Amino acid sequence: MMLNKKVKDIMTEDVITTTSDIDVVYAFEKLMKYKISSLPVVEGDKLIGIITATDVGHNLILDKYELGTSVEEIMITSVVTVSPEDTLENAIKIMKEGVSSSGILNQLPVVEEGKLVGIISDGDIIQEIF
């Protein structure tokens, strides 16, 4: 059964990340450039937060940020994550349960002992199953 496959079997290992001291505008440019919906925030290889294109874009349009607002000021620190050993079935459950107010959680950072080791998206899972 496809859903018994492990997260580590289909996750992307080269995660595009940001650090917390970066200006929000630059982080948003990175999100757009790589066409990704979220950007994990790291300190070394430790995951300390996440920002999403939806949140950042929304606030940029509403002009909520001063010039020089850093990622640290806006990042979500209680990140919903998955383990490399989790099954895809479990990853889907976690995605469904972890949905935020924006109603979408389409990327899960993969964390092992606090370290960011990959990222998995709903698209990755869908491709694997169908």
Side-chain angles (χ1 to χ4, degrees), residues 1-129:
M1 178 65 186
M2 292 295 184
L3 289 176
N4 289 337
K5 266 202 150 164
K6 297 261 175 84
V7 165
K8 66 179 181 190
D9 296 331
I10 71 163
M11 70 184 190
T12 302
E13 288 179 20
D14 307 329
V15 191
I16 296 156
T17 60
T18 183
T19 49
S20 62
D21 56 343
I22 298 291
D23 192 298
V24 170
V25 176
Y26 293 124
F28 190 65
E29 283 174 355
K30 207 172 200 183
L31 284 160
M32 295 297 103
K33 180 183 170 189
Y34 293 103
K35 298 181 173 64
I36 48 180
S37 60
S38 59
L39 204 51
V41 185
V42 293
E43 211 167 84
D45 53 10
K46 253 186 85 207
L47 179 71
I48 59 168
I50 197 162
I51 59 170
T52 69
T54 315
D55 288 350
V56 179
H58 188 71
N59 287 323
L60 281 175
I61 290 163
L62 295 179
D63 216 15
K64 283 225 179 119
Y65 303 141
E66 311 271 315
L67 206 62
T69 300
S70 70
V71 164
E72 185 173 23
E73 294 171 58
I74 64 144
M75 68 186 188
I76 300 155
T77 51
S78 53
V79 191
V80 180
T81 64
V82 68
S83 145
E85 294 300 328
D86 270 316
T87 60
L88 298 189
E89 186 172 17
N90 213 29
I92 293 167
K93 273 202 190 96
I94 292 168
M95 275 183 185
K96 281 168 91 170
E97 285 163 13
V99 167
S100 62
S101 53
S102 59
I104 189 160
L105 184 72
N106 49 12
Q107 282 188 314
L108 283 176
V110 185
V111 172
E112 196 167 30
E113 289 165 16
K115 288 182 178 176
L116 181 68
V117 294
I119 196 158
I120 188 170
S121 71
D122 51 5
D124 297 334
I125 295 172
I126 289 165
Q127 273 187 317
E128 196 56 43
I129 295 171

